């Protein structure tokens, strides 16, 4: 499209450069900007242009333009709004979607910008109307329709306006009544209460009373009697009569017209195909309720204005006031438009579009306009955010036929590609203990065991009263939350379940299950020690990739291969994974381009391989859908600009962010549909409502209301957990909020105090995350920094099936043995542990000359005239109190000593250590020091060099938590 300076209205300069809403009103056939304080106020005699700018996750800006026509606006003003909308699109680079909005028939997308509603006021600029606050309140009656967004219309204040199907709001001077028609739904009633709250705040300064009236409830109810008194008393309501405005055009017409020289000519054809659209022309697609104007990429601004005028005339001549006109540019077609065609091949040439956008920006820049928002923005580089605490308890079961086998802690993160697994992860949430129950399907797993895994997981969730979140995960499509839970995740080829063994026997195929003494190649990937994976791949050269590091081993040798594009983090992860895969053999490092012959021989010879980093499905901007599932048919409705208040407790909703699907289930959903939540998620993927080619293996989460984890609530701009703590249906909950002045009233106390990191959906950054050596429970015995007696005790008495909370091994792997099993963890018999603890207690025996007696008893003993004990029972009670006090004192002193040991341990141990220069102690040194404890390299630094590197003394350093010490050591390459 050619752009000239005369085509760009000065009022649009600088528009659409940041996220938000901008509004212009047509005044004297020109757009005039509306101040922010007046956005959302519309007059029936005016025409408006509304621009919604949305910042996408990619860094780009998306624009939607709407022109709104009041019922009393003049035809000239309406025409000006239509033409100026095309000009605004040109100023934004020619790719915005444009909507025609008629008062009373607005699109749900438009109404979602002004939640909860818009209530147009009488008058307008052309009539010289000036809004003046009325001295006396005028009683008004409104009808409300809509389940997700509310269409509000003022109707005559008369009984004849009421019916059984709709919801009405009667706004009087001292009280607002909501009349619920007997045929209206709970969701519609709840949404109408949002309008009541809006009227209360806008027109009554939030001070008037609110009452609800149920259709059919007569004078016995006080509020009902008062309501009907405004209408002269109760009388039966007539049945709703259909009028012209209520009629919906349900005709399934699809006619395509080509606009040439102002005329719309019908395009012949049995079916609609993408090939019918010529990039040099404009077309009108008439679908009854929706009328689309498609504008070719190379068409002129005048051609687009003519095509829009032709569509306006078509709607007007056919007397279809409810028809919505949507104008779209080639290459940026909407999903509803593309869905009208039997075949659609996207032919977007974004380069051309970006060039056109750049030309517009250059023209505006010459006028001195800041065009930063018009230029293509670079995608923001985001830090890895997991939105889940990594210090919880994990249990994993392998599915074998119809049974599940509990894995030992050392095997929690070792999966086979031919097997299925069920896992349960309990972790501290923001306000309560959270539970995630999920299934993992290997690529080679059999369908029978997949079904068994889902059934087992579903029964676990059901047995816990649907409180836990549930996940369905496929190998190769794992979300970051799963990797963080598993931490050091390994996937072996083959399987060991009965189902997999039966499958390969029936198919008579070779069993390629991993053998630790055989030939195996692992690709190492991840972002750090808390998120690293080793994936077994075919042991051939073509499996290599220059962007990764690999581990290759057979029975007698181990090689590490470092790709030229691999990062230092990748190299660190290789060393850590070696401790889990092959810890007892000497490693031979191979740098890409300088490999040994033996390395290539093991891979069957050198061949070409890729250097392109593997990419996962990107997470797109979230979309919310309301779902109805009946007779195996799923119907969905998209909810635009959604908030938490759009989630109704009676319904099921889906959040689609392309890479993951979240199914939210309300508390009031019938039990039958709760059990079908996972099936609904699978049906949604099949339906692919956004035509985005969803992967059938995309992770699916089932989230129950009241148990929303942070990795779900992050999709909402704000989240108030007290709303889901309320009882009742959506209407009853909303009524409590409205009557309480807009504040949710929780019906049950919170079960847990907030976790250490605050804010909705916030996650501690890497410097704040706790390592697995730390526990939220103060009663848990710490793994490191304790006395030998406590070590012996912990080895014996800690739960053998509890999660292995040890810190991931450091870069140098020789000091770290293979992961231990519960059996090998028995370091000493219980008698030895008890003896150790007893010896420790002996050290802290209370001196006999200073007995630990409560102060009150001491005082009584010092009094010479104190009476003797009344009975032996009283003496026994006092003795028990003394014993309890002594136990508390001893526990306190032991705990205090343990903390002191933590602080002093590092300094005391290093007193006799020799000092070495940093150049020979760091992990990348070409001439490293040998015969040192490589887990405490920093201890060998001199005091001066230590302070230079760490910015603190050694004593201050060893007072820090272990995780923070490791963070400092990693920063200076001593870990």
């Amino acid at each position: 499209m050619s752009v000239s300076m005369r085509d760009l209205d000065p009022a649009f300069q600088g528009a659409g450069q940041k996220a938000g809403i901008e509004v212009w009103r047509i005044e004297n056939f020109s757009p005039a900007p509306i101040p922010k304080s007046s956005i959302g106020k519309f007059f029936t005699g005016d025409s408006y242009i509304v621009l919604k700018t949305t910042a996408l996750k990619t860094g780009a800006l998306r624009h939607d333009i709407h022109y709104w026509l009041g019922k009393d606006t003049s035809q000239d003003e309406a025409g000006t709004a239509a033409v100026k909308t095309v000009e605004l699109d040109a100023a934004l680079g020619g790719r915005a979607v444009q909507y025609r909005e008629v008062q009373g028939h607005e699109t749900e997308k438009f109404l979602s910008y002004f939640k909860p509603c818009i209530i147009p006021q009488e008058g307008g600029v052309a009539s010289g109307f000036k809004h003046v606050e009325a001295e006396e309140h005028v009683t008004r009656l409104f009808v409300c329709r809509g389940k997700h967004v509310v269409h509000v219309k003022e109707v005559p204040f008369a009984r004849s306006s009421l019916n059984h199907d709709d919801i009405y709001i009667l706004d009087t001077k001292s009280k607002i009544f909501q009349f619920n028609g007997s045929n209206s739904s709970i969701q519609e009633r709840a949404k109408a209460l949002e309008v009541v709250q809006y009227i209360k705040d806008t027109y009554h300064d939030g001070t008037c009373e609110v009452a609800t009236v149920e259709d059919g409830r007569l004078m016995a109810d006080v509020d009902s009697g008062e309501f009907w008194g405004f209408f002269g008393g109760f009388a039966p309501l007539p049945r709703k009569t259909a009028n012209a405005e209520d009629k919906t055009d349900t005709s399934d017409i699809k006619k395509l017209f080509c606009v040439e020289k102002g005329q719309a000519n019908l395009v012949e054809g049995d079916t609609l195909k993408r090939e019918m659209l010529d990039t040099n022309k404009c077309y009108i697609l008439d679908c009854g309720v929706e009328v689309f104007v498609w504008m070719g990429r190379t068409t002129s601004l005048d051609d687009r204005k003519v095509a829009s005028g032709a569509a306006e005339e078509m709607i007007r001549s056919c007397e279809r006031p409810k028809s919505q006109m949507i104008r779209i540019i080639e290459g940026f077609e909407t999903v509803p438009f593309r869905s009208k065609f039997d075949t659609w091949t996207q032919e977007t040439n974004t380069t051309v579009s970006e060039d056109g956008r750049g030309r517009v920006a250059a023209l505006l820049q010459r006028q001195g306009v800041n065009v930063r928002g018009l230029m293509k923005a670079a995608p923001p580089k985001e830090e890895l955010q997991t939105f889940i605490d990594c210090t919880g308890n994990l249990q994993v079961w392998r599915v074998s036929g119809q049974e599940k086998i509990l894995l030992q802690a050392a095997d929690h993160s070792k999966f086979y590609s031919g097997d299925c697994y069920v896992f349960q992860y309990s972790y501290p949430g923001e306000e309560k203990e959270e539970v995630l129950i999920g299934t993992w399907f290997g690529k080679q797993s059999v369908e029978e065991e997949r079904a068994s895994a889902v059934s087992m997981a579903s029964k676990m969730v059901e047995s816990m009263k649907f409180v836990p979140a549930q996940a369905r995960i496929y190998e190769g499509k794992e979300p970051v939350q799963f990797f963080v839970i598993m931490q050091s995740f390994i996937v072996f080829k083959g399987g060991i379940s009965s189902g997999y063994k039966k499958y390969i026997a029936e198919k008579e195929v070779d069993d390629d299950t991993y053998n630790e003494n055989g030939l195996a190649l692992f690709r190492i990937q991840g972002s750090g020690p808390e998120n690293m994976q080793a994936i077994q791949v075919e042991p051939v050269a073509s499996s290599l990739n220059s962007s990764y590091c690999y581990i290759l081993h057979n029975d007698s040798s181990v090689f590490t291969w470092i790709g030229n594009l691999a990062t230092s983090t990748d190299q660190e992860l290789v060393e850590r994974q070696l401790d889990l895969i092959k810890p007892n053999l000497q490693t031979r490092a191979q740098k890409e381009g300088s490999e040994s012959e033996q390395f290539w021989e093991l891979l069957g010879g050198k061949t070409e391989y890729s250097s392109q980093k593997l990419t996962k499905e990107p997470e797109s901007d979230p979309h919310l859908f309301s779902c109805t599932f009946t007779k195996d048919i799923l119907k969905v409705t998209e909810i635009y600009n959604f908030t938490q208040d759009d989630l109704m407790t009676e319904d099921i909703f889906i959040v689609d962010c392309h890479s993951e699907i979240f199914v939210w289930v309300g508390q009031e959903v019938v039990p039958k549909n709760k059990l079908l939540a996972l099936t609904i998620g699978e049906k949604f993927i099949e339906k692919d409502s956004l035509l985005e080619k969803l992967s059938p293996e995309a992770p699916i989460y089932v989230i129950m209301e009241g148990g929303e984890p942070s990795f779900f609530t992050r999709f909402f701009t704000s989240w108030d957990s007290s709303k889901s703590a309320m009882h009742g249906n959506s209407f009853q909950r909303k009524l409590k909020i409205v009557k309480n002045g807009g504040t949710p009233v929780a019906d049950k106390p919170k079960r847990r105090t907030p976790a250490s990191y605050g804010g909705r959906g916030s996650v501690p950054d890497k410097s704040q995350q706790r390592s697995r050596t730390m526990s939220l429970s103060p009663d848990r015995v710490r793994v490191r920094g304790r006395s030998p007696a406590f070590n012996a005790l912990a080895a014996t008495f800690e739960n053998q099936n509890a999660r292995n909370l040890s810190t991931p091994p450091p870069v140098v792997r020789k000091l770290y043995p293979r992961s231990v099993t519960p059996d090998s963890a028995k370091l000493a018999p219980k008698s030895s542990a008890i003896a150790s603890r007893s010896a420790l207690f002996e050290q802290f025996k209370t001196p006999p000359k200073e007995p630990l007696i409560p102060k009150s008893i001491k005082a009584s003993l010092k009094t010479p005239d104190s009476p003797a004990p009344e009975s032996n029972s009283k003496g026994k009670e006092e003795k028990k109190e003394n014993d309890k006090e002594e136990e508390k004192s001893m526990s306190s002193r032991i705990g205090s000593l343990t903390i002191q040991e933590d602080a002093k341990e590092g300094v005391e141990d290093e007193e006799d250590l020799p000092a070495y220069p940093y150049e020979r102690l760091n992990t990348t040194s070409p001439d490293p020091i040998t015969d040192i404890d490589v887990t405490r390299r920093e201890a060998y630094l001199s005091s001066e060099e230590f302070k230079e590197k760490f910015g603190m003394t050694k004593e201050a350093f060893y007072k820090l938590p272990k995780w923070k010490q490791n963070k400092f050591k990693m920063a200076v390459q001593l870990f």
Side-chain angles (χ1 to χ4, degrees), residues 123-163:
V125 172
S127 61
F129 175 84
K130 291 185 179 180
H131 182 61
V132 178
E133 294 292 338
E135 294 181 1
E136 291 294 329
H137 185 277
V138 178
T139 300
R140 296 183 296 174
L141 182 65
F142 301 94
V143 62
C144 300
R145 295 168 182 155
K147 182 178 177 181
H148 304 301
V149 293
V150 187
H151 288 81
V152 180
K153 179 184 177 182
E154 185 174 355
V155 294
F157 176 28
R159 182 190 291 108
S160 58
S161 296
L162 305 177
N163 61 59

Side-chain angles (χ1 to χ4, degrees), residues 19 53-63 95 377-380 382 619-621 623:
T53 303
T54 306
L56 304 179
K57 291 181 71 69
T58 59
L61 296 175
R62 185 188 69 213
H63 298 105
R95 56 164 144 190
E382 295 183 356
E619 182 177 280
S620 66
D621 294 273
H623 297 261

Side-chain angles (χ1 to χ4, degrees), residues 314-472:
M314 182 180 293
I315 293 173
R316 204 163 29 243
S317 61
C318 296
E319 297 183 353
R320 296 184 340 216
K322 294 185 66 175
S323 291
Q324 299 166 351
M325 187 173 74
I326 305 167
R327 301 188 297 222
I328 51 183
I329 309 297
E330 180 184 5
F332 299 95
E333 294 85 357
T334 61
V335 170
F337 178 80
R338 284 185 281 143
S339 65
K340 307 298 182 184
F341 288 75
D342 296 324
T343 59
W344 183 273
T345 304
Q346 189 73 320
E347 298 180 356
T348 306
N349 185 345
T350 56
T351 303
V352 174
S353 177
E354 288 298 335
D355 289 345
R357 192 177 180 85
R359 286 197 298 270
V360 173
L363 289 172
L364 293 176
Q365 195 169 28
R366 292 194 203 106
Q367 288 188 330
V369 177
N370 180 6
V371 296
R372 179 176 53 84
L374 291 179
M375 303 305 292
K376 183 179 181 180
K381 186 176 181 180
E382 295 183 356
E383 286 287 331
L384 177 67
Q385 291 185 301
T386 59
F387 298 97
I388 193 169
D389 191 289
C390 62
T391 63
N393 294 319
L394 176 67
Q395 287 182 293
V396 181
W397 296 265
R398 182 177 61 253
V399 177
S400 187
Q402 300 298 318
E403 299 179 347
K404 61 178 182 178
I405 302 169
L406 181 65
L407 301 186
Q408 297 179 352
D411 297 326
H412 278 174
S413 300
K414 298 177 181 179
F415 287 16
Y416 285 85
S417 187
D419 295 341
C420 296
Y421 296 83
V422 177
F423 64 89
Q424 177 175 321
Y425 183 60
S426 304
Y427 61 97
E430 292 183 353
E431 297 178 348
K432 60 183 182 299
E433 192 79 359
E434 305 281 5
V435 181
L436 175 63
I437 295 175
T439 55
W440 183 90
F441 302 150
K443 290 181 179 178
Q444 299 172 277
S445 60
V446 297
E447 193 59 42
E448 292 179 5
E449 290 186 339
R450 292 183 181 184
S452 295
V454 171
S455 176
M456 293 171 186
S458 298
K459 287 179 181 177
M460 291 169 66
V461 172
E462 187 177 1
S463 68
M464 299 174 71
K465 299 182 179 179
F466 297 99
V467 171
Q470 185 176 354
R472 186 213 68 177

Side-chain angles (χ1 to χ4, degrees), residues 76 193 297 496 515 540 564 692 777 791 797 855 859 969:
D76 290 338
L193 277 172
R297 189 185 299 122
I496 55 179
N515 181 354
V540 294
N564 287 334
E692 54 183 336
S777 173
N791 275 327
F797 290 109
K855 291 184 178 180
K969 285 154 61 171

Side-chain angles (χ1 to χ4, degrees), residues 1-2 279-281 295-300 303-304 330:
M1 178 187 69
S2 60
T279 188
N280 299 310
K281 297 179 180 179
M295 296 170 281
R297 189 185 299 122
T298 60
T299 55
S300 67
D303 290 338
R304 297 180 182 186
E330 180 184 5

